[in-house]
Amino acid sequence: MTTAFFKKSLIAAAVTLASTQTFAAAFQLNEHSASGLGRAYAGEAAVADNASVLARNPAAMTTFDKMAVSVSGTYIKPDVDVEGNLYAGPLNRGNASESDIAPDAFVPASYFIQPLNDQWAWGIGLFSNYGLSTEYSKTFAAGAGAGDTELLTFNINPNIAYRINSNFSIGAGINAVYAEAELNRYAGALAAALPGANADTRLAHLKGDTWGFGWNVGTLYEINENNRLALTYRSQVDLSFDGDFQGATSGNRVVDGNLKLDLPAQAEFAGYHRLNQQFAVHYSVNWTDWSAFQELKATSNGCAGGVCLQKDEKFKDAMRYALGGTWYVNPSWEARIGFAYDNSPIEPEYRSLSIPDSDRIWYSAGATYHIDQDMSVDFGMAYLDGKEVDVNEGMRSHSDALRWKGTSHGNALLASAQFNMKF
């Protein structure tokens, strides 16, 4: 059983900073770099303008002729609201709305690439691909379905790349993912039916951490120095959280619990084309294997029937499409814009208050300033506009005794800065 959830270690500190209400599909993170944010991550696996390309494509390391370092941080300011009512059967039990359910967050990342010779290169990336944080007030009427939900992940990703010939390179890496999860649910309106309970009485508490491992591969085809294509794949990472569970199914006792969670596989096809000395276009098509996430289930011998908590998710695979452009203004400055459409993996009938996800559109802009030939800084900003969606969620598993019905709408402002150096 994990009792020291926040460990006094460098990894735990970095993971804590990676907490966010995710603003890619479901609980996926795209915030890997400021340069990428400025183009809505269009062409990210093929552009290879700094070391942050490691978050997408290890094969691109062969395009570097010097050691390279990139360090970035992205600030996310979300605005997510839910508006609705509680129903007991057909009877309206009153308004149950909440504003600003997603906290602000800061997402760091860092990368290092070292060419070994004309054919080989290696590098390491430290970043996050998945994360989630939603926080409702403890007295929220629908607290049995909302409450607090948090997932923190941190990926340590060493890679190696090999140039087969002047046009084609391949790369591969290992992903060591550290993850922490916490979930709390409160009685809310259910308190009226629970002896001695108040609205803020905690019905369920789950907390734990774990390590998971996966792999990634990438390819880069350089048609010529101004045109290149990339295809990448990052494997699923299976997480098994061992930690504390406390709730009605355990007789309100603290018991050893286990929660399995699969971080889905993902793939990207990307292209970069420099049309002339001043302009380039780039694009990406991303696929995420969200169908691997079918349920959220916590188990323990200390819970009734061995099941502490279970919720069907039934995610479907999702796509993301991005298009961007770069303007090479002069030797010191570059400007970029991007547009993306991010498809939600959540089926409408399974959408929940803890992950009120929807399709969203990205509008991005950014710039690079070259301090000298080997040092540069990137800036990026984006506005994400989420579609308003309906949510219809029962407050008790396998029961329609009390339901929340309403809508959710979310948008966000993202700002990022990055320092790059070659030496």
Side-chain angles (χ1 to χ4, degrees), residues 45-250:
V47 176
D49 50 355
N50 55 64
S52 68
V53 72
L54 268 183
R56 300 298 184 98
N57 188 6
M61 291 191 294
T62 62
T63 65
F64 290 75
D65 55 9
K66 294 182 178 180
M67 286 191 294
V69 171
S70 292
V71 179
S72 73
T74 302
Y75 175 72
I76 304 176
K77 184 174 179 57
D79 181 12
V80 184
D81 304 327
V82 295
E83 297 182 7
N85 296 277
L86 277 175
Y87 291 85
L91 300 178
N92 188 334
R93 293 281 300 273
N95 182 269
S97 301
E98 189 102 342
S99 300
D100 297 326
I101 66 167
D104 296 358
F106 178 76
V107 183
S110 58
Y111 310 91
F112 171 79
I113 293 174
Q114 182 180 22
L116 300 176
N117 53 43
D118 291 340
Q119 289 184 296
W120 290 92
W122 81 277
I124 186 168
L126 307 174
F127 56 96
S128 177
N129 280 321
Y130 295 95
L132 170 69
S133 181
T134 52
E135 297 179 1
Y136 290 82
S137 62
K138 292 183 179 180
T139 56
F140 180 52
D148 309 326
T149 305
E150 187 170 53
L151 171 68
L152 311 159
T153 71
F154 180 59
N155 188 7
I156 303 172
N157 182 206
N159 297 270
I160 192 165
Y162 176 70
R163 179 178 288 279
I164 297 174
N165 55 44
S166 59
N167 300 107
F168 193 67
S169 299
I170 58 174
I174 299 170
N175 296 271
V177 179
Y178 178 75
E180 298 178 344
E182 183 169 7
L183 179 150
N184 293 290
R185 295 293 181 262
Y186 301 94
L190 291 178
L194 301 174
N198 298 313
D200 61 352
T201 298
R202 193 165 63 182
L203 297 182
H205 167 69
L206 179 68
K207 186 176 183 180
D209 65 348
T210 191
W211 283 89
F213 298 91
W215 52 273
N216 62 290
V217 295
T219 61
L220 183 70
Y221 181 66
E222 299 174 78
I223 302 169
N224 53 46
E225 64 179 359
N226 292 321
N227 297 273
R228 47 189 176 268
L229 302 172
L231 183 63
T232 70
Y233 179 84
R234 192 175 296 274
S235 77
Q236 176 175 306
V237 175
D238 298 332
L239 300 177
S240 181
F241 293 94
D242 291 318
D244 299 338
F245 178 84
Q246 182 180 14
T249 54
S250 68

Side-chain angles (χ1 to χ4, degrees), residues 269-353:
F269 173 74
Y272 169 85
H273 307 284
R274 189 158 181 171
L275 306 178
N276 52 45
Q277 193 66 23
Q278 286 192 301
F279 295 100
V281 296
H282 26 84
Y283 49 86
S284 288
V285 178
N286 297 79
W287 165 84
T288 304
D289 184 26
W290 279 114
S291 58
F293 186 48
Q294 291 296 298
E295 66 177 2
L296 194 63
K297 184 177 182 180
T299 60
S300 172
N301 291 331
C303 290
V307 178
C308 303
L309 178 149
Q310 182 171 4
K311 185 179 184 302
D312 290 335
E313 301 290 352
K314 306 293 185 184
F315 279 22
K316 62 180 181 179
D317 292 352
M319 304 293 293
R320 184 180 191 273
Y321 308 91
L323 177 65
T326 297
W327 177 26
Y328 299 93
V329 182
N330 56 46
S332 296
W333 284 96
E334 299 169 18
R336 56 183 64 92
I337 59 172
F339 173 86
Y341 177 76
D342 213 347
N343 177 232
S344 172
I346 299 179
E347 299 282 11
E349 61 267 32
Y350 292 100
R351 188 174 290 114
S352 67
L353 288 165

